[in-house]
Structure formats: C-alpha cells, structure tokens
Amino acid sequence: MRRRAFLGTGGAVLGAGALAAAGWPLLSDYVREGRPGKLLTSGADLPKPYRTPLPLPRVLEPVSKSATTDAYEITQQAAELEILPGLRTKAWTYGGTFPGPTIVSRSGRRTVVRHRNELDRPGVVHLHGGHTPAASDGYPTSLILPADGSYDAHRVAQDMSGGSHGMSVDHGAMDLAAGARTYTYPFEQRAATLWYHDHRMSYTGVAVWMGLAGFHLVHDDEEERLPLPRGARDIPLMITDRSFAADGSFQYPWVDKELHTPGVTDAYMNGVLGDVILVNGAPWPVHEVERLRYRLRFLNASNARLYKLELDPQPEGGDAFVQIGSDGGLLAAPRLHDALEIAPAERFDVVVDFSRYRPGTKVRLLNRFGDGSTAEVMRFDVGAGSPADDTKVPRQLSDVPRLDPGRATVTRDFHFRGSSAGWTINGKEYEPGRALARPKLGRTEVWRFTTNFHHPVHLHLDHFQVVSRNNRDPGAFDHGWKDTVDLRPAEAVEVVTRFTDYAGTFMIHCHNLEHEDMAMMGDFVTE
C-alpha cells in the first residue's frame, strides 16, 4: 500500500474492525508483534547472543567547575566502531562512542554543555526530560552548523524542506550557530534518568539511528538518602534496535542516501525496526552480577520498536521488577511487575534482586513483543556465594504531589492522526512557529491525546501525570511523573500538567522518530 493510501485510512479514530477492514492487523497483532514499524533485515551475518560483555558508557568529566556550575564539552564526530564482531560501522557520535558519554548532574546545580559539530551535516541537541529554558531545549530548527563551513542558511532550508511529508521551513524560522552551541541546564528538577539526542527537523530518525544518543543522569539528596543500589550496581541500559549492511554499516531506508531530501521509503513510513538488539551499543550482551540487588535504568532509545521486557527464568514468586522510578524520577512507592512494556523514549527505573536466583543461573532479558533475533535482549550471569546486601527498597520512596485535574483551567485536545495530509496533530503537519497551544505559566491544564495508530507522545518542558485511559484508570506503566506516554491505536489518554519557570516555544510530538520526521510535531508557547 502506498503512503497516501495507507494514511487515507486514518481520518478518524479506528477501532479493531476498521483496522482489519483497511487491510491492517488487529490491535492484538500490534501488541503481540511490537508494532508499529516494519522490519529492515540485516545483510550482515549476525553474531550469536551473549558473547559480548555489556559496555558501560564512560562518565564525562567536566572541563571546569565553579561554585554554581559544571561545564562540559562534547564533540559531535564520525567514528568507526566495532559493533558487530569483525566488522566496522561508521557512526555519528557524541565524543566518538555510541552511546555517547554519560553526564551526571546534581539537582539545583547548573550544567553547561558546549557541543561542537565536526560532522558533515547540521545537528540539534535535545535534553529529553530536562526542565530547560527554551533557548537550550533543542528546538528543531535551532541548528549547530558543521564547523567546516559547508552549510549556510539556504542549504539548511533546502535540506529540511519538502520530501515525502511536505514540511517546509524558511530562513526566519531558523536559529543557526556556526560550528558550536552552548546549552544551559539549570536542573531545578528532581533526580531522574534523562537522555540527550539529536532533534533536527526532518532528520531526527536517521541521526539517532546513526548513533546520536547518550544518558544524562540527575541526582539529588532525597534519592541519595534511600538505601538503593548504587555505584557499580546502578546500571543505565540503553536498548535500541538496528540493521546492518553486509559490510557492517548501519542500514536505514532513507529516500536520499546523501540526506539532502528528508524521509524514508514508503514501506517504512510507519517506523523502522532493526533485527539486531543493542544494549549500550553491544549486540545481545552479557553481564555478570552478584547475588545482590541491582538498580537497572531501562531506556528505550529505539526509533519505533516497543518492548515487553521479561526475565527468564522468573524468580520464584514472580514480581521480578520492582519499579522505583519513571521518566520524571522516583515514584511515591514501589510497584511490582512481572514484565515491563516500554515505548520509544520511555524510561523505567527498577530494582532486580539477583539473590532470588541460585548461583550460576543465567537469566535472560527477553522481549515478548519480538520474535527471532528480536526476542532476545541481553543476559545476566549470576555469580556464586551470598554476599551481604545492605540495600533495600523502602515502602515509601518519595513525596509525589498529585496534580488535581479538577482544578485545571483549560482542557486541550490533541488528535494524532494519519490521513491524506500526512502524519498530523489536529489535522496539521508541523510548521515551525505555528503554535497549537498557548498555556499560561503556573496554571494547571488537562491535555487529552487521541489517535488512530500507535504513537508515543512526548511533551517538552514539564512532566505530566496520567489521569485516565479511555475514561478508565491509568495503566500499569503510567504511574509517576512522565514526559512520554504510550498512546495505543484507537485510544484516548488524559494527562494533567502545569508548566513552570520558562516562557517560550516548546514541542509536543510523537516519539516514533519516523512519524516525527514526517510532520507529527507541534509547537506550544508558554506565556
């Protein structure tokens, strides 16, 4: 089915019967197969799983410190990496690695990051989950031009306009920095697992696929007072999927391999799925653990793939994952799960007690939404002995005030649709500078998201709390402060939020990166 015909089935919210009538799978098929998206099969010979040790991204050291501020420098650069054994992969990287280096910040202490662009194309950096002034939020046309001077405003506008989605941008909508840009993050927010990634209009999908993503962790006193696992037992895990050509290069279904025209080929307009699962940049890695509690910070950094993560074997009695945090930091109290359903850009902070396993147990982390090579994620090999463990998960984690939707001053509707006009929000393809909403700072609002297909919806500036799904209670994975919510086909989700501190232009968009690149974004302006 061609793109326009496919999107033309989506003029209204579609139920399961309508999806089937349109020639598309039932909702149960979307969930079981981890849809949306289409699999891009690798041309390279794939390695057997559990042969590569889990890499841990290096922690970046500040280049300077003052009484209030930590300053960092990152160079965006091409690098040849060995991701598949024996093959070389050209990646676009932060600092020469994939993932990029981890930045660790302190709540209440300013972090300043200077990004220098030594790639051969423009970029934008967004701190995902950051409570950030508009000038440092990573607006999709606030570009860092290549340091070699190969781009000017005219060429940038040409590259970002047109293509299969019809978006366009003029010179007046762009904020161009020559060679480098400095981002300032005040971190007036609680401890949380954040991440940074490219956010360039029309090219986010290919840029992240090529390697432009990294962790940014925030700590605070409240979290550190808790007896949770820390140090080597506090492990960030970036889960992605990729496809590789026979020579080891990243494989992506771009319309134009020179990337002067945005978009993917028709078959992949609903998202690109790879057949290689990477964790911290390694294929199906293995990690040795002691019989102790570990804190695992799961991030789904895939372009479009959904995961249902489950341990195999399950520990006796179940409840393998003790969730302690979400996108926006600690939950009020822990929640127990046998499995975690995690959409693109979501984070789940969990504790796993490996003392519940016998010494020598090999515990696989599986993806129940995958099959074949995508059903395996990584493995934990449990060591011998029974070392003393001075950690625990308290019954009370944090004081999380609830926003009262009954006190909202405004309720706004955002319809995420596929139609003959493209991937749209409220019937409109993205246009820089056109605001879909103008919320007042400090006022509580309810935002209602509806859809005909699957969209992980991401909100910039402030986190939100999920109020309901289809007028029922929030789902099992909706608790705590969120910045991304998994919006399923034919579903309505209500969230409550309050924007604070920073006036300016921010974004709401789908975090299926192919949908985002093909116009499913909108501005909102806080006043």
Side-chain angles (χ1 to χ4, degrees), residues 47-53 283-286:
K48 293 182 178 180
Y50 317 135
R51 302 293 178 88
T52 304
W284 305 289
V286 60

Side-chain angles (χ1 to χ4, degrees), residues 190-207:
R190 61 209 297 262
T193 301
L194 313 182
W195 63 302
Y196 62 102
H197 59 80
D198 191 86
H199 205 253
R200 179 189 173 198
M201 177 176 156
S202 303
Y203 293 94
T204 298
V206 65

Side-chain angles (χ1 to χ4, degrees), residues 54 69 151 186 235 267-268 286 326 363 373 385 470 472 486 494 504:
L54 174 72
T69 304
Y151 270 76
I235 305 175
Y268 295 92
V286 60
S326 187
V363 183
S373 63
N470 290 340
R472 299 183 178 89
D486 189 23
E494 286 190 336

Side-chain angles (χ1 to χ4, degrees), residues 24-92:
W24 288 87
L26 297 176
L27 178 57
S28 60
D29 295 323
Y30 276 81
V31 173
R32 184 177 65 249
E33 297 180 15
R35 298 217 175 189
K38 178 179 173 60
L39 185 68
L40 180 60
T41 303
S42 291
D45 292 332
L46 302 184
K48 293 182 178 180
Y50 317 135
R51 302 293 178 88
T52 304
L54 174 72
L56 297 177
R58 69 184 175 95
V59 175
L60 192 63
E61 293 294 328
V63 294
S64 66
K65 291 187 174 186
S66 72
T68 61
T69 304
D70 297 323
Y72 296 86
E73 292 183 355
I74 293 177
T75 299
Q76 301 177 16
Q77 62 193 85
E80 295 281 342
L81 307 177
E82 185 173 340
I83 298 175
L84 300 182
L87 296 175
R88 305 299 291 179
T89 301
K90 181 180 179 180
W92 305 345

Side-chain angles (χ1 to χ4, degrees), residues 263-475:
V264 293
T265 56
D266 284 1
Y268 295 92
M269 57 77 57
N270 198 25
V272 183
L273 307 180
D275 58 359
V276 178
I277 304 299
L278 305 176
V279 183
N280 292 349
W284 305 289
V286 60
H287 188 62
E288 295 183 3
V289 295
E290 297 183 86
R291 298 184 66 236
L292 297 167
R293 294 182 188 88
Y294 282 72
R295 179 176 182 168
L296 307 178
R297 300 174 185 255
F298 289 121
L299 159 64
N300 180 354
S302 296
N303 282 32
R305 183 178 291 280
L306 310 169
Y307 296 89
K308 184 175 182 178
L309 302 177
E310 186 176 297
L311 295 180
D312 180 42
Q314 287 274 311
E316 186 175 348
D319 296 330
F321 299 118
V322 181
Q323 185 186 358
I324 59 171
S326 187
D327 301 338
L330 291 172
L331 304 180
R335 301 186 64 84
L336 306 179
H337 304 284
D338 288 325
L340 297 171
E341 296 181 17
I342 179 169
E346 285 189 302
R347 284 90 69 210
F348 285 89
D349 199 340
V350 305
V351 172
V352 173
D353 186 355
F354 288 104
S355 72
R356 300 174 68 189
Y357 291 99
R358 294 180 178 178
T361 304
K362 299 184 184 303
V363 183
R364 295 185 299 159
L365 180 65
L366 302 180
N367 171 29
R368 294 300 191 187
F369 283 164
D371 55 22
S373 63
T374 65
E376 308 278 345
V377 179
M378 66 173 294
R379 194 178 75 193
F380 300 96
D381 288 357
V382 181
S386 299
D389 194 342
D390 59 356
T391 68
K392 65 178 181 179
V393 180
R395 293 184 178 180
Q396 178 72 29
L397 294 167
S398 178
D399 180 15
V400 180
R402 294 293 301 173
L403 295 180
D404 182 1
R407 303 185 68 176
T409 58
V410 176
T411 297
R412 304 182 192 272
D413 286 289
F414 297 87
H415 306 294
F416 291 78
R417 295 287 186 271
S419 72
S420 58
W423 291 115
T424 64
I425 303 176
N426 291 348
K428 296 180 174 65
E429 291 188 333
Y430 180 58
E431 180 181 314
R434 179 175 59 193
L436 299 182
R438 292 184 177 272
K440 301 294 184 182
L441 289 174
R443 296 185 183 178
T444 301
E445 297 196 359
V446 169
W447 288 23
R448 183 164 48 227
F449 309 139
T450 57
T451 184
N452 54 355
F453 287 100
H454 202 295
H455 303 293
V457 176
H458 173 47
L459 194 61
H460 288 211
L461 179 57
D462 278 283
H463 292 85
F464 55 78
Q465 295 170 354
V466 178
V467 176
S468 66
R469 283 185 180 269
N470 290 340
N471 294 319
R472 299 183 178 89
D473 290 339

Side-chain angles (χ1 to χ4, degrees), residues 221-250:
D221 293 342
E222 178 190 45
E223 179 189 69
E224 291 185 352
R225 282 193 295 265
L226 299 176
L228 298 170
R230 62 187 64 195
R233 288 157 55 200
D234 180 353
I235 305 175
L237 298 172
M238 179 185 288
I239 303 175
T240 61
D241 60 335
R242 296 290 185 270
S243 292
F244 295 86
D247 63 358
S249 61
F250 282 130

